[in-house]
Amino acid sequence: MYVGRFAPSPTGALHAGSLVAALASWLDARAARGRWLLRIEDVDTPRCVAGADALIVRQLAACGLQADAPPLRQSTRGAAYARALARLAAAGRVYPCSCSRSDIARALRAQGRAPAPGVEWPYPGTCRDGCRRADGARAQRLRLPDDACVRWSDRRLGERCEDVAASVGDFVLRRADGLWAYQLAVVVDDAAQGVTDVVRGEDLATSTARQLLLQRALGLPSPRYLHVALVLDGQSRKLSKSDAAAPLVPGLGALRDACRHLGVQPHGGSIAEQLESAVVQWRELWR
Ligand code: GLU
């Protein structure tokens, strides 16, 4: 049985880009006659905005998108994440790390790898064989396997291959401030919700190899992945909630724009008719 999901972070209202991700995951689930679930990704509590979760649910409903079960909230899932971390630790796959960003930048420079601004820096492995500082807050990192090259097949992007050791290195599972990392939370929750198909924006394709590695390390099944094209602003940048992007007015107009972006022809009728026609077209495009 197909299970899909939309997993917004409640850091603000939906925008045109997040509506596209929501619609694509909904269409794929409906085209497969499967279930569509909602997950509120509120692990990064300092970035969450009060009331944004309820607003997102209302905006989705105004576009005719209703989940088949009450949303799962990551803020309630700490015990499950702790169990997963303990399992990885028992297998020797976790180590503590006290490096600050400037420690990491210094270590990368010492290795002749200039840390680039604006991109995630690969962790140079400084604490792999023992944490420098015994005191103070420490993050928990995943010890990558010797071969961290991950191959996977994306339904839109095709065959992908990523050497996670080179691109990100041993990555954080739990931050020094105690917050759970997105990568761990997503993998644990996709499995707990029985998700068979992840449909989301292409910006998250760079997280997929890490998530596949974590699924393997935890003995969890891997879903299929479909990363859809991002909605870009006038400067070819991804729309994000932090931009002064025009606020989304949820409803038929926004739904038709999102359909067009996904290569689905808008339909003249009501929201229900638009969605019905979109499901038929989606099935032809992707299933
Ligand atoms: N919460 C993530 C975001 O809003 C999406 C996570 C996912 O779909 O895997 O960007």
Side-chain angles (χ1 to χ4, degrees):
M1 166 78 164
Y2 180 111
V3 181
R5 50 70 159 183
F6 175 53
S9 306
T11 53
L14 286 181
H15 53 75
S18 40
L19 179 62
V20 161
L23 177 63
S25 63
W26 185 91
L27 286 172
D28 204 50
R30 290 295 175 258
R33 299 184 175 84
R35 281 163 61 74
W36 186 66
L37 305 177
L38 194 59
R39 183 166 74 230
I40 303 295
E41 301 219 313
D42 52 358
V43 268
D44 192 354
T45 35
R47 289 182 56 234
C48 294
V49 171
D53 51 347
L55 175 60
I56 289 171
V57 171
R58 281 201 305 278
Q59 291 183 303
L60 290 172
C63 295
L65 309 182
Q66 238 134 8
D68 295 319
L72 183 69
R73 279 167 206 285
Q74 291 194 322
S75 53
T76 66
R77 301 273 301 147
Y81 307 148
R83 277 195 301 276
L85 185 70
R87 273 192 15 233
L88 293 169
R93 297 292 304 275
V94 179
Y95 64 87
C97 167
S98 59
C99 293
S100 63
R101 270 180 80 74
S102 52
D103 292 335
I104 294 174
R106 211 172 309 116
L108 284 172
R109 271 189 228 103
Q111 293 178 357
R113 302 153 78 191
V119 298
E120 213 169 331
W121 303 339
Y123 182 65
T126 318
C127 292
R128 223 173 194 240
D129 302 314
C131 196
R132 300 268 169 103
R133 275 175 238 127
D135 56 335
R138 301 195 289 180
Q140 304 293 324
R141 288 186 181 272
L142 180 75
R143 185 184 299 278
L144 292 180
D146 292 338
D147 180 5
C149 286
V150 180
R151 279 173 201 285
W152 51 285
S153 180
D154 184 272
R155 287 166 57 198
R156 173 170 156 265
L157 303 172
E159 298 305 311
R160 307 280 286 196
C161 179
E162 183 177 333
D163 180 359
V164 178
S167 57
V168 283
D170 293 339
F171 56 89
V172 170
L173 301 173
R174 188 172 203 178
R175 292 168 21 174
D177 58 11
L179 294 180
W180 295 102
Y182 156 72
Q183 308 293 351
L184 181 72
V186 158
V187 162
V188 170
D189 288 342
D190 278 339
Q193 291 187 290
V195 170
T196 61
D197 288 78
V198 170
V199 179
R200 60 187 177 186
E202 192 174 335
D203 54 326
L204 290 161
T206 53
S207 285
T208 306
R210 271 173 278 182
Q211 293 172 12
L212 289 162
L213 277 177
L214 269 177
Q215 287 151 7
R216 284 178 207 160
L218 287 162
L220 300 172
S222 292
R224 284 179 293 263
Y225 289 94
L226 167 58
H227 289 91
V228 297
L230 296 178
V231 179
L232 303 175
D233 68 8
Q235 273 87 49
S236 302
R237 288 176 316 209
K238 181 201 164 205
L239 281 190
S240 79
K241 290 166 191 158
S242 46
D243 294 336
L248 180 81
V249 182
L252 190 55
L255 183 62
R256 297 175 68 182
D257 288 345
C259 281
R260 244 182 247 113
H261 180 82
L262 290 167
V264 167
Q265 293 312 310
H267 185 281
S270 65
I271 286 185
E273 285 164 336
Q274 170 67 75
L275 287 172
E276 203 177 305
S277 143
V279 169
V280 174
Q281 295 182 58
W282 188 269
R283 204 171 277 138
E284 268 155 34
L285 286 171
W286 293 110
R287 301 218 66 90

